[in-house]
């Protein structure tokens, strides 16, 4: 920990510089706002407002809080107008509503309009909640706890569970702050996480009423109805538990600084496939032009759809993964490469006369069919199977499986299939991803 | 039916001959018995006593009924002694107790000692019940019904469901007699069977109390506690239903006279395997020296054990069969011929700390293992699989599966494995059996 702190604590110069830049932006924003809506105010939020940013982070988040009775379209119009005035080189992005993002003195600045509501329970959109979070955390953090939050954030980054985005589905910055506060520091938090027995529920403000079906529940101190950890999946809870134990057992700075994993070469992939003797099939297509939080749920759903399809067809997926850069890839590794030409098909019990007779007559004279014969009390046939190999299945049925809507659109435009050793070709775009796939770790 | 009757009804000459021969044997048996045990009597039983034998049958069954207070060893001794006196060329066989079997005037004669009890409920061994069955059926059968019993027996033979032996597990002669009586004739019986909705219960004497967990229950008119159809398996009930419907829909003498099915050549087998693209494995060994009723349950159990083993190992049996002549064969057709070198192995949930740590440490440094990694809330590894092919499995694990005791003993002495096209070699002993296997019918 003593070795990590200097690497995550901002230097005095960095703090001073950030304070100055933030003040300037706030002043400029106040000026641009008060001339238009005198009742509005301006507030710095996020980790740089809370003193919990990790050394080198250069994000300044400024919220412009308008009166709650302002119509939404006016709030949006004014937010954009002020944003462009303060950040002339900025561009618009979209969360709950549009905001302006730009750089100022080499800092990344978000200028976000929201409503200034009295209580967190009165919020009109999710961003209205952010100022309450900042106020809550600021009131509870002293310098020591803020330093431990930085350690905690770096640790969660290092073990790849940091971030509430939908590719990670892990721990948000606010969640890490709450956990560090609630457990009174980094080391105790790690010790507690190591011993968690999910489902785990924390309620820092002791005001929760709703119950949540999540492995980890942290009731938002500013909103009793909200689980701050709602996005965290069981994998990420388990991963945090695993790495907390490892850190306690064998403390090392490595745990805090993930090297991204080693990439693999074509030859490595082929060596792994020889060692595994599995039957991978991959589908490569143009990645839909979506932000990650829209793209990843679609890729996840599409991968699951493909795996379920291959499973129904009898090829027994062992493991699979989706990759995305300019192209996207759905990779499924099958245990079974080939099925017989025939498949067993059970008919009705013989005593269910109507159905049984139809079944029997349907198959009795078909020379491609073995049977009908009787097993137990039922007719059974062995009839020609539709797909003997994963490739046959994918070629005929890929568009019949459950797919994300934009993934489907791209697949309709075209895709390429890679089978067995051919997937080594994918290292040209996905050598890191394949590296992680063939060296799976917690 | 008019065409079948002349083929199953005994000729007047045959009847007269049988009557004469039976009388002679009964007289000889009475003479030999009364000199030893004056209270004993002699009774002809079985189908030739009931007038329900099918033309050409040459079985005469004679029971010697001793007083019920005679010690069992004396009954056995006297039964054998009298048997040898009446049938000097006879030999001993064993059912509930020993009896003598021999030929007399070209008839096959059984001379069986039993106890002469007052009521069927007083029986001391199963054979004591037979005389009651004969009396019951004789009292109910007129010539027309007896003729219909002959039709029914021939039909059940023709569709391969006749016999309560443990290779057939079908309809005994007594059961066919009861069904024909109960339904008032052959045609009505067939119509009723076609419409059966199992479980079916018949109670000709209307005295049943026990309930049976069988698809077909016919309460023995001479014993309210006994299901005459207890041995009949669901397959044979369904088969009787199927063929009854076919007979009613397309009456033809073929249904009564089974041709035994066509046998297959080596080339036929290979053609079938190419058409099916399955992966058969067969184990051939010396058939244990057992009577069929002891052998078949052991072969059935051994086949099931082998199928379950192959299934657990991931080779997905499609169908299987046991054959027996001088050698016995267990044949299992697999859907999957090869598994990867690795297999997925799920560990404990990560939060179950003790087990989770042991699991992790057990695998973490094993270079043959992929992982541990986390899926859901659990550790998972991909570890080397023990058996990649059905042959590897059989070579290592055949003696670990559930086997009949005498089958195991023979397998310990040695066996030969046949894989894929090699099973065509088995046509040298089992061309008929393989013919039925590759032309499965109800």
């Amino acid at each position: 920990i003593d070795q990590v702190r200097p690497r995550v604590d901002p230097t005095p110069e960095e703090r001073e510089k950030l304070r100055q830049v933030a003040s300037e932006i706030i002043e400029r924003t106040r000026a641009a706002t008060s001339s238009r809506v005198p009742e509005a105010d301006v507030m710095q939020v996020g980790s740089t407002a809370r003193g919990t940013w990790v050394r080198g982070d250069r994000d300044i988040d400024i919220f412009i809080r308008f009166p709650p009775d302002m119509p939404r379209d006016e709030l949006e119009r004014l937010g954009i107008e002020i944003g462009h005035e303060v950040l002339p080189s900025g561009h618009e992005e979209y969360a709950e509503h549009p905001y302006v993002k730009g750089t100022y003195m080499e800092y990344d600045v978000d200028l976000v309009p929201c409503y200034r509501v009295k209580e967190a329970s009165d919020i009109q959109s999710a961003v209205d909640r952010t100022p309450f979070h900042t106020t809550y955390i600021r009131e509870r953090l002293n310098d020591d706890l803020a330093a431990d939050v930085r350690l905690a954030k770096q640790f969660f980054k290092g073990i790849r569970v940091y971030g509430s985005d939908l590719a990670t589905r892990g721990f948000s910055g606010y969640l890490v702050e709450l956990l560090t506060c609630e457990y009174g520091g980094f080391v105790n938090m790690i010790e507690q996480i190591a011993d968690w027995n999910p489902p785990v529920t924390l309620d820092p403000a002791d005001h929760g009423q709703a119950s949540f079906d999540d492995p980890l529940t942290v009731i938002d101190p500013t909103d009793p109805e909200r689980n701050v950890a709602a996005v965290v999946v069981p994998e990420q809870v388990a991963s945090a538990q695993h790495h907390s134990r490892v850190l306690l057992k064998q403390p090392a700075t490595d745990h805090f600084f993930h090297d991204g994993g080693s990439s693999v070469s074509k030859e490595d992939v082929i060596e792994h496939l020889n060692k595994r003797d599995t039957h991978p099939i991959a589908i490569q297509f143009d990645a839909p032009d979506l932000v990650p939080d829209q793209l990843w749920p679609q890729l996840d759903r599409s991968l699951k759809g493909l795996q379920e399809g291959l499973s129904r067809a009898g090829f027994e997926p062992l493991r699979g993964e989706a990759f995305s850069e300019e192209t996207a890839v759905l990779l499924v590794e099958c245990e079974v490469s080939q099925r017989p030409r025939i498949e067993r098909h059970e008919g009705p019990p013989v005593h269910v006369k109507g159905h049984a007779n139809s079944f029997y007559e349907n198959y009795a004279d078909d020379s491609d069919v073995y049977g009908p014969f009787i097993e137990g009390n039922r007719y059974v046939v062995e009839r020609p199977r539709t797909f003997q190999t994963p490739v046959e299945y994918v070629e005929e049925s890929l568009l019949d499986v459950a797919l994300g809507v934009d993934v489907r659109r791209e697949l309709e435009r075209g895709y390429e299939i890679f089978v067995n050793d051919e997937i080594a070709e994918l290292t040209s775009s996905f050598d890191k991803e394949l590296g992680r796939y063939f060296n799976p770790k917690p």
Side-chain angles (χ1 to χ4, degrees), chain A residues 17 21 57-60 102-109:
Chain A
K17 177 78 191 299
V21 174
D57 282 356
R58 303 185 69 82
D59 296 312
I60 295 175
T103 55
Y104 186 87
M105 307 274 286
E106 294 172 23
Y107 284 84
D108 295 320
V109 181

Side-chain angles (χ1 to χ4, degrees), chain A residues 295-352:
Chain A
L295 177 61
W296 279 101
Q298 287 205 25
L299 290 177
D300 291 343
R301 193 177 328 141
S302 305
L303 178 66
K304 189 163 170 250
L306 177 59
Q307 284 176 311
E308 287 172 350
L310 285 164
S311 177
R312 278 194 303 275
F315 302 113
E316 302 188 27
L318 175 73
R319 190 145 60 88
E321 198 69 62
F323 309 145
S324 175
E325 294 286 343
E326 282 180 28
T327 63
V329 164
L330 305 176
L331 167 67
V332 181
E333 211 180 354
C334 294
E335 288 205 39
V336 173
S337 64
Q338 182 144 9
R339 285 270 162 184
R341 283 223 174 76
I342 52 164
E343 67 180 358
R344 180 186 158 88
H345 175 57
E346 275 198 6
V350 172
H351 63 78
V352 183

Side-chain angles (χ1 to χ4, degrees), chain A residues 343 345-348 355-373 379-384:
Chain A
E343 67 180 358
H345 175 57
E346 275 198 6
H355 286 128
N357 282 346
S358 306
F359 183 90
Y360 184 79
E361 278 155 26
N362 190 26
Y363 287 108
D365 297 324
D366 188 335
S367 64
D368 289 335
V369 166
Y370 286 82
F373 52 96
Y379 284 126
V380 175
V381 291
E382 290 158 355
R383 65 182 183 187

Side-chain angles (χ1 to χ4, degrees), chain A residues 195-207:
Chain A
D195 284 343
W196 273 353
N197 188 11
V200 169
T201 301
L202 297 173
D203 186 3
D206 198 20
H207 66 169

Side-chain angles (χ1 to χ4, degrees), chain A residues 254-275:
Chain A
D254 290 357
H255 303 304
F256 291 82
F257 302 100
H258 194 272
D259 63 0
S262 50
S263 58
V264 282
S265 66
K266 272 190 182 190
E267 292 70 27
D268 295 335
V269 169
I270 288 168
E271 202 175 301
H272 279 296
L273 292 180
N274 286 339
K275 184 175 168 190

